């Protein structure tokens, strides 16, 4: 679209208006090329130079500035070239010029140097970002509505060249569609105390204050969820989505910043993708795929050439993506929920399983993808795998509770679909894999002094035995939750009623499951979508989004189909043939597993209130003062919110399990109706 095509209807200036503008210090290359609103009055246009074609709206309101100062909206001390200035905009003190912009109603532009579009621009759309692999090969073209899920397909399914080509074509088509020789400043946007802004599209209600340089990008703010860009920020080749904050001298180059993100405190990022609710402070990112809730808060932390999500990076965390041979060609994956401790180091390529903790420095290429909820520990320069131990960590429960509460997105359109479940077919299928591997190792591996090696990692025999037990508990907890949820609130007259209620509503979901960077879905459902993209049955990003949204909304139906199949493997017969006794057995196993896991969590929480954790409290007093000081600051163990939640969970689940068993046994013995609640 060309600038001339969007100029609103209006009238030319009268001779009297031109005369008044000249008296107020204004000039124009051609006064006849200025179009104004019908009710335009020139009073608030002072010391302005006009060139090209310009449109001026009505300026009849006051604005309140910082410190309680009121000011008439209008244009003061500026040079405008090819600009549309809508009603009640304030433009004040432009040191250089504003060129080729449509400025929305009630926008405020104060004390800036340059705001201009030079030639045609896509405003960051179509910029190629070399994510995950610093040397290239996984480039993702960014666009206004890029989701973590589409980016995942483009970056990680390079073996499906037709698919990647089709997705890139969709983004290229969108980029071409929005290409323009003029930019837009949205209604109510504020641009204050900034230096240079070139080829940038700015959405409604955005606040850009003190930025040093913004070039070739989009600030996709919305009235419901404004974007904030702050002091000394420099950004080139970027897209920032609604609800995000980029402030305090952050440096951005070739990055996509999704919804609800915070990049702050001198953070630096290049060639990276950040999706919903990521946070980056002080540190550095290079060629990363930061899925939802990737968080790094520390100055000495580097995330490089990797894929992360629901991740918390400890201070000094680092990864190595080259061995000084053929360059930085290596890459790594930390699956959802992983954490790194202070001064941790991982040699890429490595693949760390979901909800795992990495401690120490690891110089071999670790693959723990089949061992979720594990620790990876350094001991005497060896990597030690401690499987399933994180299932007893109270920190995992705290994380799972905090993520939904920390969703900062308020926009009515969400780009990323996020599943917060700790236990899902995705993680439980990996636990099943780990369970089988541990069984095989315990039966067949060569154990020397209670140690064997698995994929260059040390595994202690007692850790393997304990991991086997923890995985079994977690699997039964998930399966029991699924079957109880399925029967909850149902009135059961006979065993046939149970079979009817347990029958899956869909056949989709039986096989492998995928974590599509936040969206958990069956691989077979995703495969159908990928094939439809390859064959051009699905042609647009909007159509892809609709399918992905349906995956998310149908998660629990798909989940039950998967659980139904796994039940048959675990119990040894189809659910359709379950007797009341079989069902009672499942509920008992579920109850035992839930209570044992909760007891472990309770014991882990108790450690946080041990005497050693009180070190440094009551600094100048006696022992009693130490305890009192600790309780005032940290709280009493028995009244702690998380501890209370565990105790209540144990009480509720015990009552639920006992109640269901009692009703099922009554149905078996008396043949009377029961309602499972």
């Amino acid at each position: 679209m060309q600038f001339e095509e969007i100029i609103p209807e209006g009238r030319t200036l009268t001779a009297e208006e031109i005369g008044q503008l000249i008296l107020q210090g204004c000039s124009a290359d051609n006064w006849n090329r200025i179009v104004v609103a019908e009710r335009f009055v020139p009073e608030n246009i002072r010391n302005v130079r006009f060139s090209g074609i310009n449109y001026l709206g009505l300026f009849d309101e006051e604005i309140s500035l910082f410190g309680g100062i009121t000011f008439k909206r209008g244009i003061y001390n500026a040079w405008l070239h090819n600009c549309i200035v809508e009603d009640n905009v304030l433009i004040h003190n432009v040191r250089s010029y504003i060129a080729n912009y449509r400025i929305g109603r009630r926008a405020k532009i104060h004390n800036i140097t340059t705001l201009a579009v030079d030639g045609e621009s896509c405003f960051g759309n179509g910029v190629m970002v070399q994510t995950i692999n610093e040397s290239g090969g996984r480039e993702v073209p960014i666009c206004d509505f890029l989701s973590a899920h589409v980016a995942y397909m483009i970056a990680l399914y390079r073996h499906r060249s037709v698919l990647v080509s089709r997705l890139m074509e969709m983004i290229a088509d969108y980029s071409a569609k929005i290409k323009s020789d003029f930019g837009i400043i949205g209604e109510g946007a504020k641009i204050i105390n900034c230096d240079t802004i070139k080829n940038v599209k700015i959405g409604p209600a955005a606040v850009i204050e003190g930025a040093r340089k913004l070039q070739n990008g989009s600030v996709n703010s919305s009235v419901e969820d404004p974007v904030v860009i702050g002091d000394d920020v420099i950004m080139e080749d970027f897209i920032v989505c609604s609800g995000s904050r980029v402030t305090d001298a952050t440096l951005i180059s070739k990055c996509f910043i999704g919804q609800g993100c915070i990049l702050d405190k001198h953070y630096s990022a290049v060639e990276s993708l950040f999706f919903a609710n990521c946070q980056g402070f002080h540190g550095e990112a290079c060629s990363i795929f930061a899925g939802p809730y990737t968080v790094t808060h520390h100055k000495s932390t580097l995330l490089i050439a990797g894929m992360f999500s629901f991740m918390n990076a400890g201070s000094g965390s680092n990864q190595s993506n080259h061995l000084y041979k053929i360059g930085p060609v290596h890459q790594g994956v930390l699956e959802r929920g992983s954490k790194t401790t202070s001064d941790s180091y991982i040699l890429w390529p490595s693949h760390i399983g979901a909800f795992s903790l990495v401690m120490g420095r690891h110089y071999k290429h670790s693959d723990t993808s089949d061992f979720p909820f594990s620790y990876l520990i350094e001991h005497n320069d060896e990597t030690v795998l401690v499987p399933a131990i994180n299932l007893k960590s109270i920190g995992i429960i705290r994380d799972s509770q905090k993520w939904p509460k920390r969703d900062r997105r308020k926009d009515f359109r969400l780009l990323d679909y996020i599943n917060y479940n700790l236990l899902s077919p995705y993680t439980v299928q990996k636990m099943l894999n780990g369970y089988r591997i541990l069984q095989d190792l315990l039966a067949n591996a060569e154990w020397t002094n209670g140690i064997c090696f698995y994929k260059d990692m040390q595994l202690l025999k007692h850790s393997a035995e304990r991991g086997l037990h923890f995985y079994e508990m977690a699997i039964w907890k998930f399966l029991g939750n699924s079957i109880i949820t399925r029967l909850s609130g149902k009135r059961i007259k006979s065993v046939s009623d149970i079979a009817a209620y347990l029958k899956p509503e869909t056949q989709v979901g039986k096989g492998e499951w995928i974590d599509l960077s936040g969206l958990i879905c069956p691989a077979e459902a995703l495969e159908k979508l990928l094939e439809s993209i390859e064959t051009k049955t699905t042609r647009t990003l909007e159509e892809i989004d609709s399918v992905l949204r349906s995956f998310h909304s149908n998660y629990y139906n798909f989940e039950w189909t998967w659980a139904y199949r796994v039940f048959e493997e675990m119990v040894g017969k189809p659910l359709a043939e379950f007797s009341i006794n079989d069902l009672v057995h499942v509920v008992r196993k579920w109850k035992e597993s839930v209570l044992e896991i909760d007891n472990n969590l309770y014991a882990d929480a108790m450690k946080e209130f041990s005497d050693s954790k009180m070190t440094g409290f009551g600094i100048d007093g006696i022992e009693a003062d130490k305890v009192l000081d600790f309780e005032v600051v940290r709280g009493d163990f028995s009244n702690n919110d998380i501890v209370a939640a565990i105790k209540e969970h144990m009480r509720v689940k015990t009552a639920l399990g006992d109640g269901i068993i009692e009703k099922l046994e009554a149905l078996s013995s008396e043949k009377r109706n029961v309602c499972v609640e």
Side-chain angles (χ1 to χ4, degrees), residues 44-77:
N44 301 332
I45 312 295
R46 298 175 181 270
N47 299 323
V48 181
R49 177 181 175 184
F50 296 99
S51 60
I53 303 173
N54 292 278
Y55 171 88
L56 305 178
L58 175 65
F59 308 102
D60 63 352
E61 293 181 354
E62 287 190 342
I63 184 172
S64 295
L65 303 179
F66 182 77
I69 297 172
T70 59
F71 206 79
K72 290 284 189 179
R73 291 183 182 269
I75 308 172
Y76 308 87
N77 308 326

Side-chain angles (χ1 to χ4, degrees), residues 466-507:
R466 181 179 54 194
L468 200 67
H469 179 61
F470 281 141
Y471 279 151
E472 182 178 15
M473 283 193 302
I475 292 165
W476 275 110
K477 178 180 178 179
F478 169 79
L479 293 175
N481 284 340
S482 297
I483 203 167
I484 289 171
T485 300
R486 196 75 180 176
L487 295 176
S488 180
K490 303 295 193 300
R491 187 161 294 281
I492 299 172
K493 300 177 181 179
S494 65
V495 175
S496 60
D497 285 344
I498 295 175
Y501 289 133
L502 296 182
K503 184 178 180 180
E505 297 174 14
T506 176
Q507 292 302 304

Side-chain angles (χ1 to χ4, degrees), residues 529-581:
L529 172 60
L530 302 184
E531 290 176 355
S532 73
I533 295 170
E534 290 169 336
T535 60
K536 293 189 176 182
T537 305
T538 300
R539 294 176 175 270
T540 66
L541 294 172
E542 291 81 4
E543 291 174 342
I544 294 173
D545 178 73
S546 179
V547 176
L548 294 172
R549 185 168 61 251
S550 73
F551 290 171
H552 188 58
S553 61
N554 282 293
Y555 166 78
Y556 285 104
N557 283 335
F558 296 153
E559 180 195 74
W560 176 245
T561 300
W562 186 85
Y564 189 92
R565 177 187 63 80
V566 175
F567 260 121
E568 296 181 353
E569 295 178 4
M570 296 289 288
V571 180
K573 66 179 179 180
L575 272 175
E577 299 175 9
F578 259 37
S579 66
I580 294 295
N581 288 336

Side-chain angles (χ1 to χ4, degrees), residues 176-230:
K177 182 179 178 181
I178 67 163
K179 182 182 288 187
S180 176
D181 63 355
F182 66 91
I184 294 175
I185 308 297
E187 181 174 348
K190 299 177 182 178
I191 306 173
I192 303 170
N193 299 330
C194 296
D195 286 338
T196 302
I197 301 176
K198 293 182 178 179
N199 293 358
V200 177
K201 171 167 61 76
I202 299 171
V207 177
I208 304 176
E209 186 165 3
R212 184 171 299 178
K213 182 174 74 171
L214 306 180
Q215 183 166 318
N216 190 35
S218 292
V219 179
N220 293 329
S221 184
S222 70
V223 174
E224 299 83 9
D225 211 2
V227 171
V228 175
I229 297 176

Side-chain angles (χ1 to χ4, degrees), residues 314-547:
S315 62
S317 294
N318 185 273
Q319 307 88 49
S320 177
N321 65 330
H322 57 87
L323 297 173
Y324 300 99
K325 293 181 179 179
I326 59 174
V329 298
H330 301 298
Q331 63 188 49
V333 176
L334 269 70
E335 292 186 13
R336 62 162 47 207
S338 295
K339 290 185 177 182
T340 59
T341 63
S342 296
D343 298 317
S344 70
Y345 168 87
I346 308 173
L347 179 64
W348 290 153
S350 289
H351 189 161
I352 308 303
F355 299 104
S356 293
L357 177 67
V358 179
M359 306 169 64
R361 307 180 68 81
H362 301 274
Y363 303 100
K364 297 179 181 178
H365 305 299
S366 304
D367 182 0
T368 68
S369 53
D370 284 325
F371 293 97
F373 298 96
S374 297
Y375 282 4
L376 209 60
I377 300 173
E378 174 201 4
H379 181 67
N380 294 332
D381 290 335
E382 292 286 351
T383 293
V384 179
L385 172 65
V386 186
I389 193 66
N390 224 7
L391 284 166
K392 62 181 288 187
S393 170
I394 192 64
I396 285 290
I397 301 304
R398 177 179 175 272
D399 287 342
S400 67
Q401 292 173 348
K402 78 182 181 184
W403 286 320
K405 296 176 183 177
R406 295 184 181 180
D407 190 344
R408 301 180 67 250
R409 301 172 297 167
K410 301 180 183 67
D411 206 322
F412 71 93
R413 175 172 182 174
L414 300 182
L415 300 180
D416 300 332
Y417 300 109
I418 302 175
N419 187 312
Y420 297 102
N421 291 359
L422 281 175
L423 299 180
S424 68
Y426 175 73
T427 51
V428 177
Q429 75 186 2
K430 290 177 176 291
M431 284 193 265
L432 286 166
N433 293 340
Y435 185 87
R436 297 181 187 112
I437 292 169
L438 292 175
Q439 279 186 317
D440 181 66
L441 290 173
L442 288 168
N444 302 311
E446 294 185 7
W447 296 86
T448 304
N449 297 323
I451 299 173
C452 80
F453 281 85
Y454 174 79
K455 293 186 176 181
D456 290 329
M457 297 178 289
Q458 278 191 8
L459 179 63
L460 303 181
K461 192 169 187 178
H462 71 85
S463 294
E465 292 168 342
R466 181 179 54 194
L468 200 67
H469 179 61
F470 281 141
Y471 279 151
E472 182 178 15
M473 283 193 302
I475 292 165
W476 275 110
K477 178 180 178 179
F478 169 79
L479 293 175
N481 284 340
S482 297
I483 203 167
I484 289 171
T485 300
R486 196 75 180 176
L487 295 176
S488 180
K490 303 295 193 300
R491 187 161 294 281
I492 299 172
K493 300 177 181 179
S494 65
V495 175
S496 60
D497 285 344
I498 295 175
Y501 289 133
L502 296 182
K503 184 178 180 180
E505 297 174 14
T506 176
Q507 292 302 304
V508 177
K510 289 183 178 180
E512 293 294 309
W513 280 59
I514 305 292
D515 178 7
L516 206 63
S517 193
L519 172 64
I520 298 175
C521 67
E524 63 179 298
L526 179 62
E527 177 61 27
K528 290 180 181 178
L529 172 60
L530 302 184
E531 290 176 355
S532 73
I533 295 170
E534 290 169 336
T535 60
K536 293 189 176 182
T537 305
T538 300
R539 294 176 175 270
T540 66
L541 294 172
E542 291 81 4
E543 291 174 342
I544 294 173
D545 178 73
S546 179
V547 176

Side-chain angles (χ1 to χ4, degrees), residues 576-642:
E577 299 175 9
F578 259 37
S579 66
I580 294 295
N581 288 336
D582 292 327
L583 195 56
V584 168
H585 170 71
V586 168
V587 175
R588 284 202 173 111
K589 288 286 291 185
W590 166 81
K591 176 187 163 186
E592 291 169 3
S593 298
V594 168
L595 292 180
E596 185 168 351
I597 290 173
D598 280 353
N599 277 317
N600 277 287
L601 295 174
Y602 187 85
D604 196 45
M606 189 178 294
K607 295 175 185 176
E608 294 299 307
F609 294 83
S610 64
D611 188 67
S612 64
K613 295 299 190 295
M614 297 182 188
T615 301
F617 285 82
I619 191 164
D620 292 324
I622 59 175
E623 185 71 15
D625 292 335
K626 178 175 75 172
V627 175
L628 182 59
D629 185 33
F630 183 89
E631 289 182 355
V632 170
V633 175
R634 292 280 308 278
D636 175 68
F637 174 73
S638 61
N639 295 320
N640 179 267
D641 290 343
I642 294 177

